[in-house]
Amino acid sequence: MLLLVFSMMPNIQIFAQSPPSDSSVLFTTEFLEISLDLISENVQDGNFNDAKILSKLNSEIFPIHLQSLRQTNSGVTDEIHLLLLDIHDEIVNENTGHILENVNLVKNLLTQYSVQSPDYGLVISQILVIVDEQYQIAITEENSTLYDFSLISVTRTLELFEYTNFDQRQSVELESFLIELDEKIKNKDSFLTVGTLITAMNRDLTNTQTVVYDKQQLYEKIRELYQKLLVSLNEDDYTTAEELAIEAYLDNFEYLEADIEKVDSELLYTLEINMREELRHMIKN
């Protein structure tokens, strides 16, 4: 349980330091809606251990956004804060009636927040950071509740993505990534492949790139990976071939897109489709 809380805190704080108030409110309400529903289900099924994990997560994440939430509605925020702590205490004591009552109170209070102009890309990114952490725990510890949390959260990000305002090229790419992420989690793929995909998406969702890369080395790396990919195909090792194709695109080509677009946007679009979709379809077939 301590691993669950502390392993995710540094990532959450990266996004929580100075997000717009509306984005912080939307993220918090979306996160709590999902976790509270799962808490109710687990409590009603008598699974207090998993309910405890989720309620502890709530009580850790909510205070990070406290300042922004109070700017929007201080009274509601303070009431929710206390109720989340009460819910966790009641779960520890396995007091089903009070837990369900307080969960409903929090859900009703969440509707009183007013959100005007959130950054939906940032909100999706914040949700995916948590998915990345919880999916890893779900797979390694075979925790069905955290798996459900990950799956429901990704499904919700697909719905939220409809409200983003990325350009057409980025929208097509990010939506395809979200659909692929949804499929990977449904198939219970390794947490490493899921994490790699989330990392790639978050660069575009937040328009951040913290590392300066040698672009020429990236081109050379892609060529090297494709040579290995051809070897794998000749050996009928299609799993490795697809992994190499994904690595070439997500870990290398993604960092070249901005430069290529300045020179030839149509070429960039063609390369994206060929690398992200066509090549992998051919390998799968």
Side-chain angles (χ1 to χ4, degrees):
M1 237 175 270
L2 288 175
L3 173 63
L4 170 68
V5 175
F6 291 119
S7 64
M8 72 172 298
M9 292 305 291
N11 287 333
I12 295 297
Q13 287 171 338
I14 289 172
F15 293 108
Q17 285 173 355
S18 58
S21 177
D22 282 351
S23 301
S24 197
V25 171
L26 180 59
F27 160 74
T28 307
T29 55
E30 292 289 339
F31 167 76
L32 286 177
E33 285 281 356
I34 295 169
S35 63
L36 288 170
D37 283 343
L38 287 172
I39 285 173
S40 293
E41 290 178 18
N42 278 283
V43 166
Q44 291 178 72
D45 292 340
N47 184 5
F48 291 97
N49 285 333
D50 281 356
K52 196 183 301 180
I53 290 173
L54 289 168
S55 69
K56 181 64 174 176
L57 199 56
N58 290 348
S59 63
E60 294 291 342
I61 291 177
F62 190 82
I64 296 172
H65 299 269
L66 207 55
Q67 185 174 357
S68 295
L69 293 166
R70 280 177 173 156
Q71 288 175 358
T72 304
N73 192 320
S74 60
V76 165
T77 298
D78 290 340
E79 193 169 351
I80 291 175
H81 195 189
L82 292 173
L83 283 169
L84 291 177
L85 296 174
D86 289 343
I87 288 171
H88 186 70
D89 288 340
E90 297 292 354
I91 290 174
V92 172
N93 297 319
E94 299 187 5
N95 194 334
T96 302
H98 285 169
I99 297 167
L100 298 178
E101 181 181 344
N102 285 339
V103 165
N104 287 329
L105 284 173
V106 173
K107 292 183 69 175
N108 288 332
L109 287 168
L110 289 174
T111 64
Q112 296 184 36
Y113 282 120
S114 176
V115 179
Q116 302 298 325
S117 55
D119 180 341
Y120 283 95
L122 176 61
V123 172
I124 292 170
S125 177
Q126 290 175 304
I127 293 172
L128 292 182
V129 167
I130 298 179
V131 170
D132 189 9
E133 298 285 350
Q134 303 317 307
Y135 182 74
Q136 178 175 344
I137 298 170
I139 295 300
T140 55
E141 299 184 6
E142 298 183 352
N143 187 300
S144 60
T145 295
L146 293 181
Y147 173 78
D148 290 342
F149 172 85
S150 302
L151 186 57
I152 294 169
S153 296
V154 171
T155 300
R156 181 56 182 156
T157 61
L158 273 164
E159 296 168 350
L160 292 173
F161 188 74
E162 296 180 11
Y163 302 99
T164 60
N165 58 355
F166 295 102
D167 62 40
Q168 183 178 8
R169 182 189 65 79
Q170 277 194 307
S171 290
V172 170
E173 180 182 55
L174 284 167
E175 186 173 21
S176 72
F177 282 164
L178 284 170
I179 292 171
E180 182 176 355
L181 179 63
D182 185 60
E183 292 173 351
K184 283 183 177 297
I185 292 180
K186 284 178 179 175
N187 294 332
K188 296 188 176 180
D189 284 6
S190 76
F191 63 82
L192 292 175
T193 61
V194 166
T196 298
L197 186 55
I198 288 175
T199 299
M201 281 191 288
N202 281 343
R203 287 196 299 264
D204 289 340
L205 287 165
T206 59
N207 292 313
T208 57
Q209 182 175 315
T210 57
V211 180
V212 177
Y213 289 89
D214 183 331
K215 303 298 176 65
Q216 187 57 42
Q217 284 189 3
L218 293 176
Y219 284 109
E220 292 171 0
K221 182 64 175 178
I222 292 171
R223 294 188 181 99
E224 177 188 334
L225 290 168
Y226 276 1
Q227 287 297 323
K228 292 180 179 179
L229 183 153
L230 292 173
V231 172
S232 296
L233 289 176
N234 289 332
E235 295 175 350
D236 294 334
D237 185 355
Y238 298 103
T239 299
T240 300
E242 185 179 9
E243 290 174 355
L244 291 166
I246 292 171
E247 183 180 350
Y249 185 80
L250 291 183
D251 293 347
N252 296 275
F253 185 76
E254 278 277 290
Y255 294 102
L256 300 170
E257 289 179 344
D259 288 348
I260 297 173
E261 186 173 27
K262 293 176 184 176
V263 178
D264 192 331
S265 59
E266 291 185 9
L267 173 63
L268 172 62
Y269 180 77
T270 302
L271 285 169
E272 276 191 334
I273 296 299
N274 287 340
M275 294 179 72
R276 185 180 71 238
E277 298 180 12
E278 297 299 330
L279 176 60
R280 292 177 60 198
H281 286 321
M282 292 169 72
I283 293 171
K284 289 179 180 178
N285 292 329

